[in-house]
Amino acid sequence: ATAIELARKGCHLALSDISETSLEETAELLAGFPIRVSTHLVNVSDRDAVYRYAEDAVSEHGKINLIMNNAGVGLGETVENMSYENFEWLMNINFWGVVYGTKAFLPHLKRSGEGHIINISSVFGIIGVPTQSAYNAAKFAVRGFTESLREELDIESCGVSATSVHPGGVKTNIARNSRMGDMGGMSFDSKEEIADMFEKIALTTPESAARTILSGVRKNQRRVLVGADAVMLDTAQRLMPTGYQRLLETLFRVNRRKKTAPKQSA
């Protein structure tokens, strides 16, 4: 959706994805635009692959003015039960992928004379949620990393800026493609149930999210909230910085009691 929105503005694009099929599908959607499109198969958790992507993109297009670090995965698991394998898998994509993309492309952005780094955090980079400790850790880290980066770039006055983006529920496949471990009875029983619920409560379309993000970039905003739910949760956190936690605890505790209550016979 972001690629299409940029194409409408006449931007040349260097698309990356871990899925060759998705790359081809997106490239086909852009076939009618008078722009140059290159495709790059990239695993963002592989530092060398991300740096090759940056070099190849510059080679294909001559210069880079915008990088959007938005690859992400989900994981539902309590801190106690979470395996290090799952924790590292998520952090390598959701946090280190953002770091690699930022550092690999930043020198090229500076050489172009003007540019912008878009790093996708989440509303879960603003509030903490039970069973989401790994995702929270990564998205809070992206937020802090990007805010610090923005300050450094502003001090340098180098023509490059950065924005931290915090989407609420956006209608993507992240929930369906997530991993689900032992959530201690605090959430749904299956990934399918979680994915179905996410699709019901996700209020924002990818197209709307793309427009909101790029509008924020044009205005050089430091932080962009995507969706009414993101605005609501950000406001709740500001008004009740610890109170929202007790509210979430109550909701998850009720759900856990329902699951652990003995079943009544007819």
Side-chain angles (χ1 to χ4, degrees):
T2 309
I4 292 170
E5 193 66 22
L6 287 168
R8 290 194 178 110
K9 306 295 183 184
C11 297
H12 304 298
L13 299 167
L15 306 175
S16 67
D17 202 318
I18 196 169
S19 165
E20 190 167 6
T21 300
S22 294
L23 270 178
E24 292 174 355
E25 289 174 352
T26 306
E28 288 174 7
L29 292 172
L30 299 168
F33 293 96
I35 60 169
R36 185 164 61 255
V37 177
S38 61
T39 57
H40 309 261
L41 203 61
V42 181
N43 177 353
V44 300
S45 67
D46 182 338
R47 185 196 304 173
D48 291 339
V50 176
Y51 274 78
R52 282 195 301 273
Y53 168 39
E55 295 297 331
D56 291 345
V58 172
S59 178
E60 288 267 1
H61 297 276
K63 66 175 183 175
I64 302 292
N65 295 105
L66 183 74
I67 174 67
M68 182 174 182
N69 295 305
N70 70 322
V73 293
L75 170 65
E77 211 161 14
T78 64
V79 172
E80 182 177 10
N81 296 322
M82 180 169 50
S83 70
Y84 281 104
E85 177 189 0
N86 279 344
F87 198 175
E88 291 168 359
W89 167 75
L90 184 142
M91 292 298 291
N92 285 340
I93 297 168
N94 291 16
F95 177 61
W96 284 110
V98 171
V99 174
Y100 299 154
T102 298
K103 288 180 64 62
F105 280 88
L106 181 53
H108 301 296
L109 292 168
K110 285 186 171 182
R111 271 195 290 274
S112 74
E114 60 176 355
H116 209 100
I117 297 167
I118 309 170
N119 288 338
I120 306 300
S121 176
S122 167
V123 71
F124 283 12
I126 295 173
I127 64 167
V129 179
T131 74
Q132 295 298 308
S133 57
Y135 194 80
N136 282 142
K139 295 304 185 177
F140 270 83
V142 168
R143 171 186 164 189
F145 175 80
T146 308
E147 289 180 2
S148 176
L149 169 67
R150 170 63 181 259
E151 293 160 5
E152 293 170 0
L153 295 172
D154 281 357
I155 292 167
E156 292 177 8
S157 298
C158 60
V160 180
S161 192
T163 295
S164 181
V165 178
H166 300 267
V170 180
K171 294 181 183 298
T172 70
N173 290 323
I174 188 168
R176 202 165 292 282
N177 294 332
S178 66
R179 291 184 183 181
M180 191 183 81
D182 187 343
M183 293 188 282
M186 298 181 197
S187 189
F188 294 97
D189 292 324
S190 70
K191 187 167 74 172
E192 288 71 27
E193 285 181 296
I194 292 174
D196 289 342
M197 177 57 69
F198 180 81
E199 288 178 4
K200 291 176 183 176
I201 65 175
L203 303 175
T204 306
T205 65
E207 293 75 18
S208 175
R211 289 192 295 270
T212 300
I213 292 166
L214 294 177
S215 174
V217 171
R218 285 193 294 272
K219 296 173 183 175
N220 198 26
Q221 292 179 345
R222 295 175 183 272
R223 180 185 296 182
V224 172
L225 299 172
V226 179
D229 50 348
V231 174
M232 179 191 70
L233 290 169
D234 178 61
T235 302
Q237 190 278 332
R238 291 170 186 268
L239 295 174
M240 303 183 296
T242 58
Y244 86 84
Q245 298 176 25
R246 287 189 288 272
L247 177 60
L248 285 174
E249 287 167 11
T250 299
L251 293 173
F252 276 78
R253 190 179 289 117
V254 169
N255 191 57
R256 190 166 186 263
R257 283 174 182 163
K258 288 180 180 178
K259 291 181 175 298
T260 57
K263 297 194 182 296
Q264 301 293 320
S265 58

